[in-house]
Amino acid sequence: MALPQRRPPRRVVEEPYKVNERILAREVRVVGENVEQGIYETNQAQAMAKAQNLDLVEVSPNAVPPVCRIVDYSKFKYEQKKKQKEIKANATKVVIKEIRFGPNTDDHDFEFKLKHAINFLKEGAKVKAYVQFVGRAIVFKDRGFQLLDRFSKGLEEYGKIEAEPKLEGKRMSMFLAPKVVTPKK
């Protein structure tokens, strides 16, 4: 006996804009090319759009009355996607670099990590410096605080403190942000 085939459920894609008959407002403000701008009844605006073989798209639903544009909907969606991609590409990505210390970090190791932090800040990245307390080393909280304080003083001319040192569990951390951001090429 063969089992009945089950169809996968249909995915319904929610459109971000109301188009043509989906616009429920009684009156709309119409804008667009080759259209006299003004407030029209929805069915009249839809008739104007059909006359031009275009769609009536609700652009600003929260306005009173809602703003609609007479455009080709597929072209409009493409333009919106393009704008979103451009905004995303131009957004600066924040890079956070971590530098780990122990409560008994030696001077040479400290200087080495300080140089790395200076390079990170020069590149425009934020720096998260933390002291990891292992086992009973948590007794030396004051050493961790002194270490991070010394670290922040060493980076004063390259960055500013974004978050003061604070203890969270077995980790004392602080954040530093660059003073002058130079974009990476």
Side-chain angles (χ1 to χ4, degrees):
M1 181 167 104
L3 293 172
Q5 278 188 327
R6 293 187 74 201
R7 271 196 229 145
R10 266 200 250 152
R11 285 184 23 193
V12 177
V13 178
E14 186 71 29
E15 292 292 337
Y17 298 97
K18 292 181 183 176
V19 185
N20 297 331
E21 285 76 35
R22 291 205 174 145
I23 299 170
L24 303 174
R26 214 178 314 158
E27 308 186 303
V28 292
R29 180 179 303 277
V30 177
V31 295
E33 296 171 15
N34 306 324
V35 177
E36 192 172 318
Q37 296 183 4
I39 298 173
Y40 298 95
E41 287 186 19
T42 307
N43 54 10
Q44 187 182 357
Q46 287 172 352
M48 289 166 59
K50 274 191 180 146
Q52 296 181 23
N53 288 329
L54 296 172
D55 301 302
L56 185 68
V57 181
E58 191 176 55
V59 180
S60 179
N62 297 333
V64 178
V67 178
C68 293
R69 181 177 279 159
I70 294 179
V71 290
D72 181 6
Y73 185 58
S74 55
K75 188 176 178 182
F76 176 75
K77 270 186 12 182
Y78 172 74
E79 294 291 331
Q80 292 299 318
K81 235 182 218 178
K82 208 169 160 185
K83 280 182 188 174
Q84 290 299 323
K85 270 189 180 178
E86 194 175 304
I87 289 170
K88 205 174 183 180
N90 291 339
T92 55
K93 292 157 186 79
V94 178
V95 179
I96 298 177
K97 300 283 189 173
E98 290 190 358
I99 295 180
R100 181 180 185 268
F101 294 101
N104 299 320
T105 301
D106 201 30
D107 285 340
H108 176 265
D109 294 336
F110 179 82
E111 295 300 324
F112 186 77
K113 291 177 183 196
L114 188 69
K115 283 179 188 170
H116 276 282
I118 289 169
N119 289 336
F120 295 150
L121 289 171
K122 281 181 180 176
E123 290 173 6
K126 289 185 179 183
V127 175
K128 177 184 180 182
Y130 65 93
V131 179
Q132 184 74 43
F133 297 100
V134 183
R136 292 193 56 219
I138 195 76
V139 177
F140 304 110
K141 288 180 214 159
D142 56 326
R143 278 193 197 169
F145 185 77
Q146 289 168 358
L147 192 71
L148 290 177
D149 191 45
R150 197 172 119 204
F151 188 69
S152 66
K153 283 184 178 140
L155 295 172
E156 268 179 345
E157 61 185 76
Y158 302 101
K160 58 184 181 284
I161 297 175
E162 204 170 68
E164 292 288 333
K166 68 177 179 188
L167 188 67
E168 295 172 354
K170 290 192 167 197
R171 186 181 272 200
M172 183 181 285
S173 60
M174 70 182 296
F175 284 91
L176 294 137
K179 277 190 178 174
V180 180
V181 179
T182 52
K184 216 185 214 183
K185 292 179 182 173

